[in-house]
Amino acid sequence: MEFSSARQAILQLLRTVAPADLPALLEWMRTSRDFDEFTHDNNDSMLKSIAEDLRNLLPLETMLSSEHLAVQKIQQQPEPTVHVDAFLYDEDVIDSLCEEGKMSRNYCVVCGSYQTAPLGFISHSFSLVELKFIYHHVLPDLSGKLLVDVGSRLGSVLYGGYLYSSALQLYGVELNGDFCQLQEMIIKKYQFTDRIKVLHADICTQDSLLQNADVVIMNNVFEYFLDEAEQARAWECISINVRKQGSLLVTVPSLEESLSGLQVSIQLSSWVEEIPLNYDVYPEKDINREAFEQIHLYKIL
């Protein structure tokens, strides 16, 4: 069927819908992921290609031998927990790996029995749909803006920002040299070098960058990689330097949760204002609503 005929057929079908149901149908058509297979654009395909490249270079758990503290903290969780990178492994990929016996969603409560319970999954990266949520629904137009990703890890926030936003510059600051090399490889392969830069550095050495940033993104950035004293030092550095009035801070989890239990002198009420987010822009059941609700947006006062 040609475009003009298809368009007429759809419009004719809509005219037959009961008036009371038409608004709900149009809202479903506007927000549903049921059309994803028809509407995947080149940006989605490029991010999926990047994810595949990285999957082929990293172990299944996406943890490096150099991440001693992170591995230890995951092992200390009260329930059995594994690291599954949400950018590299979406639900379809996880399902395939489970079918192949390479991954499991459950663990045995009593060895040798049929009593099983769900494994806990931890990710230090945003999934593709979370990236789209952040750049399409959380952040405003970023034309001419400087974005900084603290703890850029595999670079998903940077690649998403390059493809889904008009940010002028995207900086990743990453303490782990191995991850910096992986990011540099992807940036060069996909020709992102004009807008993305990765710094192998401690964020506490980047005062000027933080002071000039229009957007700072922090996803599970310190808890698993620094001890409590180092976490407190890093948060004090962030709070001192991220002071540009009107600039934005995106965090997972909330600032309140991140700072709880740390010995810091940060007064949130005089530093930031939380901006409410609409977590219902993707109302489908297969969206991880709990993951969306961990994303918080703050405006610097």
Side-chain angles (χ1 to χ4, degrees):
M1 184 181 294
E2 298 296 329
F3 169 75
S4 59
S5 300
R7 177 175 175 273
Q8 288 300 321
I10 292 172
L11 291 173
Q12 184 60 40
L13 179 62
L14 290 173
R15 293 187 186 103
T16 66
V17 177
D21 293 327
L22 186 58
L25 177 63
L26 293 174
E27 177 67 11
W28 168 75
M29 293 175 68
R30 187 179 68 83
T31 61
S32 176
R33 294 182 65 203
D34 292 344
F35 303 107
D36 279 1
E37 62 181 298
F38 308 110
T39 60
H40 272 324
D41 60 23
N42 186 56
N43 293 336
D44 290 5
S45 299
M46 191 174 296
L47 282 180
K48 290 188 174 185
S49 176
I50 292 171
E52 183 177 3
D53 286 346
L54 291 170
R55 282 199 301 271
N56 292 332
L57 294 169
L58 291 162
L60 186 64
E61 66 276 10
T62 330
M63 300 292 291
L64 301 180
S65 58
S66 51
E67 298 185 283
H68 308 293
L69 186 58
V71 171
Q72 182 182 2
K73 287 193 174 185
I74 289 175
Q75 292 172 345
Q76 291 172 347
Q77 294 295 306
E79 299 293 341
T81 301
V82 294
H83 180 264
V84 178
D85 191 279
F87 178 62
L88 303 192
Y89 298 95
D90 62 20
E91 289 298 314
D92 291 339
V93 175
I94 292 174
D95 286 343
S96 296
L97 290 171
C98 289
E99 289 173 4
E100 295 169 11
K102 297 178 180 178
M103 184 182 288
S104 175
R105 294 181 184 274
N106 301 289
Y107 71 96
C108 183
V109 178
V110 181
C111 188
S113 79
Y114 289 101
Q115 299 180 44
T116 62
L119 274 168
F121 282 4
I122 287 178
S123 175
H124 300 303
S125 297
F126 290 117
S127 66
L128 189 149
V129 71
E130 288 164 358
L131 289 171
K132 294 177 79 169
F133 174 64
I134 288 170
Y135 286 111
H136 291 167
H137 301 285
V138 173
L139 294 172
D141 178 20
L142 298 182
S143 297
K145 304 298 184 182
L146 167 62
L147 181 146
V148 175
D149 181 24
V150 180
S152 51
R153 198 169 177 84
L154 297 178
S156 60
V157 167
L158 305 177
Y159 316 141
Y162 191 98
L163 297 170
Y164 294 140
S165 85
S166 300
L168 180 64
Q169 291 181 298
L170 300 138
Y171 275 86
V173 182
E174 174 55 53
L175 195 57
N176 187 299
D178 296 327
F179 283 127
C180 288
Q181 291 181 13
L182 285 172
Q183 291 176 82
E184 292 289 0
M185 181 201 73
I186 295 296
I187 291 166
K188 290 175 183 176
K189 177 176 179 178
Y190 289 88
Q191 300 179 4
F192 293 159
T193 54
D194 58 323
R195 291 166 55 208
I196 294 180
K197 290 182 175 58
V198 175
L199 304 177
H200 179 201
D202 182 335
I203 192 60
C204 293
T205 67
Q206 301 300 311
D207 294 2
S208 178
L209 183 64
L210 290 172
Q211 290 163 13
N212 288 294
D214 299 293
V215 177
V216 176
I217 297 183
M218 306 174 68
N219 180 15
N220 276 339
V221 67
F222 299 136
E223 179 185 356
Y224 286 88
F225 306 100
L226 303 174
D227 62 33
E228 288 191 359
E230 292 173 320
Q231 288 180 56
R233 178 183 70 96
W235 277 113
E236 293 282 6
C237 171
I238 294 291
S239 68
I240 289 170
N241 289 292
V242 181
R243 289 284 175 172
K244 187 176 181 180
Q245 189 172 16
S247 60
L248 300 172
L249 183 60
V250 178
T251 71
V252 172
S254 68
L255 288 175
E256 290 83 358
E257 183 175 340
S258 294
L259 297 176
S260 65
L262 298 180
Q263 297 298 314
V264 293
S265 57
I266 299 171
Q267 297 297 319
L268 291 181
S269 60
S270 60
W271 177 34
V272 297
E273 174 192 357
E274 182 160 12
I275 307 299
L277 298 177
N278 177 12
Y279 298 109
D280 295 320
V281 291
Y282 300 114
E284 294 76 9
K285 293 180 181 179
D286 59 338
I287 292 295
N288 187 345
R289 170 69 182 247
E290 185 177 347
F292 273 34
E293 291 177 347
Q294 285 290 303
I295 299 172
H296 294 265
L297 175 67
Y298 302 89
K299 182 172 70 174
I300 306 301
L301 300 175

